[in-house]
């Protein structure tokens, strides 16, 4: 309540930033296009199409045949005017019937081929997109925590929605049209040249300026489309960020500021859309000018030649029909090129994402942990000459050595920002040390395969995350093959059983459904049960009891005595009461371990811990 009141007086909504000033995400725009190795985009496209080479070939053949059938029409018209009609006048209706039947057959064949092609192409496209979206998900999931801290989830969503969609647009409409247009250009040019070299030459010559126009348009459109897809990504990022943080947004009355920010981004996106339309309009005007000039030249010159008898009327008619077909798709060509541009931009971004390698890679030749000595022993942890800096910041942990004997419960205390969580994350291998090694029973964490590592080390953090599914399923994530008895056993051991059985469907309550909503403290209990069920040799608790009330924390602490027995445990806690169950306490300041000893020793001492402990004692009194 006080926080909210204070926030409303100090933060005047909408006035934090001058209106029209872009939102902060803009600074990170360059990350939208990750550095893409040369050729990565083409390689991605090849690898997507490789499994369906045969189908792509068949689809292309269908398109070639369909174009041939379609472009036969005007030729038949020319034949009808110049040969069949004169023959008909001479009471020979054979040629005219042949032309009619031929025209009909070509039209039917063209339709049949077109629909077969559409279905075949759609199947290929579906498979390509299915594969691509799967790859994006798998790859993003496999990338290290470090990557996700820098590349927001909004961007990832944008990759697998907007970018995949723009590829879909290209594949479903653009590409076949584009290839169709190019093919028909080739067919028609050849036919026109064959019908009449002079008229054909005029038509082919007109393709020159059109080509230049297209190139110019493409260059300009590329810029506009880049800007547009960046702008839409920014809209999505802002949207996702706001909705993910809806609680702090409410608590700090950020709505007005967010509205203003969103408005700026939204307007910018719309403006880029307007720019794209403008470029398109310029292109259409230019291309019509060229096309109509060419038609006018051909009609005038052709008519002149028909009059002096050097050109047959049928050929001129066919030429005019072909010209219409030649120029007809040019307006649309601009559109296909648009979808080609935006798909190319999207594919480049996707390729950039897929080219990212995990900064915490799986070992090429994994090593096994030595077998455990007895039923529940922990493993020895050694930080050997470890130094660590986040990619985005300075050194957080200066070089240090630390050995945690198997089975020891170690409490880590120290002020916020001291580096406690960083130490824990190195041990859980969320990151690799910048220097040195972290060893588990003598094996470098980098040499352990994922599953082996997770059996070795499990971390429970403050933000106990629940996946969609039931409570039981959420606990079973610790050990997917666990029986219901084992799940309940774990919940009982941690003191979660009572609240779970009080839920509408007990262990089968869906945590995302109505009535299944559970509090932050209860979520932590579920996370504890999950970790307990996983039965790791090393358990890390990073402020894992911070959402529990004092009695709840006490209960967990009692339970923890059983849970931690024999395991190596690293317990990071604000409340010093947790320290009482520890065999050893480490005090951290500015990334350094400044005190190290048993709780009793440190209390008796005159150091930081003794001060902290005294202050804590006083606060209890
Ligand atoms: N993902 C990150 N990227 C960059 N710097 C970080 C990151 N996480 C933490 N830090 C920095 O590392 C230091 C130690 O943080 P942390 O280990 O979380 O401290 P503690 O858990 O003791 O509060 C802090 O200065 C913090 O700003
Ligand atoms: Mg922390």
């Amino acid at each position: 309540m006080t926080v909210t009141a204070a926030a409303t007086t100090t933060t005047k909504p909408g006035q934090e930033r001058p209106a029209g000033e872009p939102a902060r995400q803009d600074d990170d725009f360059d990350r939208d296009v990750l550095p893409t190795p040369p050729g990565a985009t083409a390689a991605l496209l090849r690898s997507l199409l490789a499994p369906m080479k045969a189908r792509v070939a068949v689809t292309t053949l269908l398109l070639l045949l369909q174009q041939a059938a379609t472009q036969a029409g005007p030729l038949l018209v020319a034949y009808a005017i110049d040969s069949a009609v004169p023959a008909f006048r001479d009471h020979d209706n054979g040629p005219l019937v042949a032309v009619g039947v031929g025209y009909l057959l070509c039209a039917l064949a063209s339709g049949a081929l077109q629909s077969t092609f559409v279905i075949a192409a759609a199947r290929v496209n579906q498979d390509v997109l299915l594969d691509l979206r799967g790859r994006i998900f798998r790859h993003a999931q496999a990338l290290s925590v470090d990557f996700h801290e820098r590349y927001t989830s909004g961007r990832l969503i944008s990759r697998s929605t907007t970018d995949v969609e723009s590829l879909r647009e290209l594949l479903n409409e653009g590409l076949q049209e584009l290839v169709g247009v190019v093919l028909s250009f080739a067919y028609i040019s050849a036919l026109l040249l064959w019908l009449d070299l002079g008229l054909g030459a005029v038509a082919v010559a007109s393709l020159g300026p059109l080509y230049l126009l297209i190139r110019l348009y493409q260059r300009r459109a590329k810029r506009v489309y880049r800007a547009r897809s960046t702008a839409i990504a920014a809209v999505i990022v802002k949207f996702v960020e706001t909705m993910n943080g809806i609680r702090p947004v409410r608590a700090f009355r950020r709505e007005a500021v967010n509205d203003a920010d969103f408005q700026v981004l939204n307007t910018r996106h719309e403006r880029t859309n307007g720019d794209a339309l403008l470029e398109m309009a310029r292109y259409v005007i230019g291309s019509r000018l060229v096309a109509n000039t060419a038609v006018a030249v051909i009609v005038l010159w052709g008519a002149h030649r028909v009059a002096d008898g050097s050109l047959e009327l049928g050929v001129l008619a066919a030429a005019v029909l072909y010209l219409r077909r030649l120029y007809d798709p040019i307006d649309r060509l601009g559109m296909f090129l648009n979808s080609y541009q935006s798909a190319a931009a999207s594919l480049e971004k996707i390729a950039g994402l897929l080219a990212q390698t995990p900064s915490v890679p799986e070992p090429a030749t994994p090593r096994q942990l030595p077998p455990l000595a007895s039923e529940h022993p922990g493993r020895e942890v050694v930080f050997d000459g470890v130094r660590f800096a986040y990619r985005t910041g300075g050194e957080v942990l200066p070089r240090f050595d630390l050995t945690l004997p198997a089975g020891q419960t170690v409490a880590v205390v120290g002020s916020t920002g001291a580096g406690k969580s960083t130490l824990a994350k190195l041990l859980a291998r969320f990151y690799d040390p910048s220097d040195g090694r972290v060893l588990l029973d003598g094996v470098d964490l980098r040499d352990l395969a994922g599953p082996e590592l997770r059996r070795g080390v499990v971390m429970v953090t403050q933000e106990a995350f629940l996946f969609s599914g039931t409570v039981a399923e959420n606990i079973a994530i610790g050990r997917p093959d666990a029986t219901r008895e084992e799940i309940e056993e774990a919940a009982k051991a941690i003191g979660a059983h009572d609240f779970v059985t009080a839920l509408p469907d007990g262990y089968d309550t869906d945590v995302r459904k109505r009535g299944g909503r559970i509090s932050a403290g209860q979520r932590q209990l579920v996370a504890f049960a999950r970790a307990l069920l996983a039965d790791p040799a090393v358990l890390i608790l990073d402020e894992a009891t911070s959402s529990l009330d004092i009695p709840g924390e006490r209960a967990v602490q009692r339970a923890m005595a059983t849970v931690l027995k024999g395991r190596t445990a690293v317990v990071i806690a604000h409340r010093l009461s947790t320290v009482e169950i520890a065999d050893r306490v480490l005090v951290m300041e500015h990334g350094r371990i400044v005190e190290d000893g048993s709780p009793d020793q440190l209390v008796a001492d005159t150091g930081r811990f003794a001060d902290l402990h005294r202050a804590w004692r006083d606060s209890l009194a």
Side-chain angles (χ1 to χ4, degrees):
M1 191 60 209
T2 30
V3 171
T4 326
T8 36
T9 50
T10 54
T11 320
K12 290 203 189 75
Q15 291 192 358
E16 271 199 346
R17 203 177 3 246
E21 191 77 356
R24 215 186 58 79
Q25 281 83 13
D26 287 3
D27 307 342
D28 311 329
F29 267 7
D30 46 339
R31 280 185 219 151
D32 208 41
V33 184
L34 292 166
T36 314
T41 312
L44 171 62
L45 201 58
R46 267 201 308 278
S47 79
L48 285 169
L49 291 176
M52 35 198 112
K53 254 187 212 135
R55 286 158 66 197
V56 171
V58 169
T59 315
T60 313
L61 185 68
L62 282 169
L63 194 61
L64 280 169
L65 292 174
Q66 188 259 337
Q67 275 295 323
T70 310
Q71 303 308 351
L75 266 191
L76 289 167
V77 170
Y79 176 75
I81 293 175
D82 294 336
S83 310
V85 172
F88 184 70
R89 284 212 192 97
D90 298 338
H91 307 290
D92 176 9
N93 56 7
L96 203 56
V97 171
V99 166
V101 172
Y103 201 94
L104 197 66
L105 284 180
C106 278
L108 284 176
S110 166
L113 285 164
Q114 168 93 22
S115 57
T116 318
F117 165 77
V118 167
I119 293 169
R123 293 228 173 100
V124 169
N125 298 346
Q126 273 167 3
D127 289 353
V128 165
L129 295 170
L130 190 77
D131 181 12
L132 187 62
R133 204 173 261 144
R135 285 196 205 190
I136 294 174
F137 182 83
R138 277 195 304 277
H139 194 81
Q141 191 176 232
L143 285 172
S144 316
V145 175
D146 161 65
F147 170 83
H148 291 278
E149 281 167 352
R150 290 178 300 147
Y151 201 76
T152 60
S153 58
R155 277 205 182 87
L156 279 177
I157 292 172
S158 183
R159 289 301 82 81
S160 78
T161 55
T162 328
D163 288 331
V164 172
E165 278 316 306
S166 82
L167 209 59
R168 178 193 302 284
E169 216 171 278
L170 173 71
L171 290 173
N172 281 359
E173 296 144 34
L175 197 60
Q176 68 196 55
E177 294 264 17
L178 196 62
V179 174
V181 170
V182 171
L183 268 182
S184 71
F185 273 13
Y187 271 110
I188 292 174
S189 303
L191 283 168
L192 277 170
L193 286 169
W194 177 69
L195 276 174
D196 185 87
L197 211 56
L199 295 185
V202 174
V204 170
S206 73
L207 294 179
L210 281 176
Y211 175 75
L212 292 179
L213 200 66
I214 287 170
R215 285 296 299 268
L216 180 70
Y217 169 68
Q218 253 191 308
R219 239 201 328 271
R220 302 175 68 114
K222 188 170 187 166
R223 217 186 41 234
V224 174
Y225 276 81
R226 273 249 172 84
R228 190 177 77 159
S229 79
T230 307
I232 186 64
V235 168
I236 295 176
V237 167
K238 182 72 192 168
F239 201 100
V240 171
E241 187 193 84
T242 307
M243 301 314 156
N244 273 348
I246 193 71
R247 287 183 189 86
V249 165
R250 283 267 188 290
F252 289 94
R253 301 283 182 269
R254 291 283 298 176
E255 292 92 337
V257 183
N258 283 339
D259 273 353
D261 284 353
F262 190 77
Q263 195 55 32
V264 171
L265 295 173
N266 204 12
T267 311
R268 172 176 307 169
H269 173 233
E270 275 318 307
R271 215 174 28 236
T272 58
N273 267 330
D275 291 347
L277 284 175
L278 198 67
E279 287 302 330
M280 180 77 194
R282 288 196 180 120
Y283 164 77
V284 168
I285 291 172
S287 70
R288 294 238 168 112
L289 194 68
V290 174
N292 289 332
T293 309
V295 172
V297 167
I298 284 178
V299 168
L300 280 176
W301 186 38
H304 192 73
R305 284 176 52 197
V306 169
D308 72 18
S310 65
L311 184 71
E312 285 181 279
L313 183 62
V315 172
L316 180 61
V320 171
L321 283 176
Y322 275 132
L323 279 177
R324 279 208 48 192
R325 289 190 178 195
L326 186 66
Y327 296 130
D328 226 25
I330 283 187
D331 289 0
R332 281 181 294 143
L333 185 63
M335 223 140 49
F336 313 146
L337 285 174
N338 279 352
S339 66
Y340 173 78
Q341 293 285 4
S342 68
S346 291
L347 198 65
E348 193 186 340
K349 288 185 196 165
I350 294 173
L353 172 65
L354 293 180
Q356 290 290 308
T357 48
S359 58
V360 180
E362 282 282 299
T365 45
R367 285 182 58 190
Q368 299 285 316
L369 286 169
L372 284 169
S374 58
E375 204 203 329
H376 253 329
R379 291 185 187 275
E380 183 200 51
V381 172
V382 174
F383 288 83
D384 174 23
V386 169
R387 190 185 68 82
F388 183 75
Y390 286 100
R391 282 203 189 182
T392 46
E395 189 172 72
V396 173
L397 302 180
R399 209 189 115 88
F400 71 103
D401 294 294
L402 176 67
T403 302
L404 311 178
Q408 194 172 61
T409 298
V410 182
V412 183
V413 299
S415 46
T416 304
K420 307 179 297 292
S421 296
T422 307
L423 183 86
K425 287 188 278 188
L426 286 174
L427 178 50
R429 206 185 173 216
F430 283 12
Y431 310 93
D432 280 333
S434 314
D435 266 333
R437 308 177 298 165
V438 183
L439 305 167
L440 192 60
D441 268 357
V443 182
D444 193 327
L445 294 186
R446 280 177 281 227
D447 293 332
L448 292 173
E452 181 87 346
L453 176 64
R454 290 295 153 243
R455 270 194 301 278
V457 185
V458 164
M459 171 147 106
V460 181
T461 61
Q462 196 169 0
E463 60 275 357
F465 186 83
L466 296 190
F467 297 90
S468 49
T470 65
V471 175
E473 281 163 359
N474 264 288
I475 296 175
I477 285 169
R479 181 146 47 92
D481 59 355
T483 63
R484 177 54 70 92
E485 284 68 40
E486 288 169 324
I487 292 172
E488 291 188 17
E489 208 60 51
K492 274 180 194 148
I494 214 71
H497 184 72
D498 290 344
F499 101 77
V500 176
T501 43
L503 290 171
D505 298 318
Y507 281 89
D508 295 317
T509 307
D510 191 321
V511 297
R512 294 280 153 103
K513 292 250 174 68
R514 255 177 125 61
R517 297 270 167 207
I518 65 181
S519 74
Q522 291 167 335
R523 276 208 302 274
Q524 286 194 333
L525 291 178
V526 171
F528 267 116
R530 181 191 287 166
L532 177 58
L533 193 63
D535 191 25
V538 179
L539 186 62
I540 307 166
L541 308 176
D542 188 357
E543 319 228 328
T545 53
S546 55
S547 297
L548 298 178
D549 53 14
I550 305 271
E553 190 176 35
R554 286 270 164 206
V556 168
Q557 269 165 22
R558 268 195 304 278
M560 225 132 66
T562 2
V563 172
L564 299 184
K565 197 180 218 159
R567 287 176 219 279
T568 311
V570 175
V571 184
I572 300 171
H574 266 331
R575 295 189 195 139
L576 290 193
S577 56
T578 317
V579 170
E580 289 173 351
I581 59 163
D583 305 317
R584 179 181 176 189
V585 178
L586 301 176
V587 182
M588 285 188 81
E589 277 317 316
H590 305 296
R592 291 180 195 281
I593 297 165
V594 293
E595 282 175 47
D596 179 354
S598 74
D600 298 341
Q601 250 176 346
L602 293 187
V603 170
D605 231 351
T606 52
R608 285 248 332 129
F609 186 72
D611 292 344
L612 283 173
H613 196 263
R614 213 168 305 115
W616 173 67
R617 265 286 148 74
D618 294 347
S619 75
L620 289 184

